[in-house]
């Protein structure tokens, strides 16, 4: 994709996420962003990313594509010093307001930036970079995204990425089974947007979005190309939440994608490390 196409995708998607940042957590039907319960102490992180990140107390943590900061501040509640990055100025402003309301303004920094072009000032500052759920489908240049994450880490620092599995993203629905999205390739997919996953009943101003399908091999290759050492790659057949509203919910409260006698993967997780500096002398 040429630079003009890349810039167009960022601008188009920023308008979508500006609107979502304005409405999320403000409607009675919102399924994900209950601001008042968060302020009362609700933890918004899921078990998978907490397990992979481990003990974050005292760590400098970078949260990529942080939206309006609930997860970022949840990491802060676990003891990390946090910096959230998002390309939406509306989201960043709301994140700063939320941090102030939660009494964490001194413990959290929020930066407006495209995660495909992180500011040089973030370079080498972090022990841990985290990005979760609905991440790389919005990224036209995963190589640049991975380079930015790698550059932001200190030597020995880790990236923890938990995202929707590319195979799951192929399917528009489970019953009936409809596949309408490419598996990988990175070609932009332009689609109309008239609402939000957070509140299925809410109608927003019609807009266009641009999303990008990346195969699992392409994602891992981008991480390796950025100089990161992949330590763990997981493919997960169950999830604690389904933001797409596609999966059936089991009696145990977990979401799975039944397929014959098995289940398709719905999430993947990637843990990669920036190599430690080589010893001198």
């Amino acid at each position: 994709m040429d630079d003009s196409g890349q810039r167009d995708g960022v601008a188009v998607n920023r308008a979508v996420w500006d609107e979502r940042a304005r409405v999320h957590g403000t409607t009675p039907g919102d399924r994900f962003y209950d601001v008042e319960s968060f302020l009362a102490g609700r933890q918004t992180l899921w078990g998978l990313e907490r397990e992979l990140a481990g003990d974050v107390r005292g760590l400098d943590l970078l949260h990529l594509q942080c939206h309006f900061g609930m997860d970022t501040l949840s990491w802060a509640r676990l003891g990390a010093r946090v910096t959230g990055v998002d390309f939406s100025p509306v989201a960043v402003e709301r994140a700063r307001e939320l941090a102030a309301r939660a009494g964490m303004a001194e413990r959290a920094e929020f930066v407006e930036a495209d995660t495909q072009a992180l500011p040089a000032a973030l370079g080498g500052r972090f022990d841990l970079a985290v990005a979760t759920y609905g991440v790389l489908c919005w990224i036209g240049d995963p190589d640049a995204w991975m380079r930015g994450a790698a550059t932001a880490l200190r030597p020995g620092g880790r990236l923890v990425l938990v995202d929707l599995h590319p195979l799951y993203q192929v399917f528009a629905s489970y019953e009936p089974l409809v596949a309408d999205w490419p598996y990988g390739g990175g070609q932009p997919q332009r689609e109309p947007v008239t609402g939000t996953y957070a509140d299925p009943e809410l109608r927003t101003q019609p807009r266009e979005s641009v999303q990008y399908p990346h195969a699992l091999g392409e994602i891992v290759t981008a991480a390796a190309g950025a100089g990161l050492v992949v330590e763990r790659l997981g493919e997960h057949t169950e999830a604690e939440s389904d933001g797409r509203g596609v999966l059936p919910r089991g009696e145990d409260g977990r979401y799975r994608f039944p397929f014959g006698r098995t289940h398709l993967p719905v999430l993947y997780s990637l843990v990669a490390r920036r190599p430690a500096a080589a010893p001198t002398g």
Side-chain angles (χ1 to χ4, degrees), residues 38 43 45 56-59 61 69-83 104 107-110:
F38 170 78
Q43 172 62 252
L45 302 173
V56 301
R57 287 175 294 181
L59 299 185
L61 184 149
M70 284 179 127
D71 282 2
T72 318
L73 296 173
S74 289
W75 288 115
R77 283 175 172 168
L78 294 176
R81 295 180 293 270
V82 299
T83 299
M104 290 190 283
R107 298 165 54 191
E109 176 186 5
F110 291 96

Side-chain angles (χ1 to χ4, degrees), residues 45-214:
L45 302 173
W46 299 112
L48 180 55
E49 57 264 32
R50 290 186 63 174
E51 175 189 349
L52 295 174
D55 186 356
V56 301
R57 287 175 294 181
L59 299 185
D60 291 308
L61 184 149
L62 176 65
H63 183 196
L64 298 166
Q65 290 162 242
C66 67
H67 198 30
F68 70 98
M70 284 179 127
D71 282 2
T72 318
L73 296 173
S74 289
W75 288 115
R77 283 175 172 168
L78 294 176
R81 295 180 293 270
V82 299
T83 299
V85 176
D86 201 278
F87 72 162
S88 163
V90 179
V92 169
E93 181 59 30
R94 280 202 67 191
R96 291 168 179 162
E97 292 172 356
L98 185 64
R101 291 183 65 191
M104 290 190 283
E106 301 301 319
R107 298 165 54 191
E109 176 186 5
F110 291 96
V111 177
E112 180 189 335
D114 178 6
T115 52
Q116 298 165 102
L118 291 179
L122 298 180
R125 282 180 46 186
F126 299 95
D127 305 299
L128 182 65
V130 176
T132 53
Y133 308 108
V135 180
L136 292 184
C137 63
W138 298 100
I139 299 300
D141 189 347
D143 294 323
W145 191 94
M146 288 290 183
R147 286 195 302 270
T151 301
L153 293 171
R154 297 185 174 113
R158 293 181 301 139
L159 167 68
V160 171
L161 170 63
V162 180
D163 208 352
L164 306 183
H165 198 287
L167 182 58
Y168 172 39
Q169 292 179 287
V170 165
F171 295 98
S173 65
Y174 165 63
E175 289 184 337
L177 190 65
V178 176
D180 69 346
W181 225 55
Y183 184 88
Q187 292 301 307
Q189 309 294 307
R190 294 181 177 267
E191 299 176 353
V193 175
T194 57
T196 169
Y197 60 91
D199 186 345
E201 302 302 318
L202 180 66
R203 297 297 90 190
T204 58
Q205 179 179 338
R207 299 184 185 276
E208 183 182 57
S209 71
V210 186
Q211 296 188 54
Y212 307 88
H214 303 298

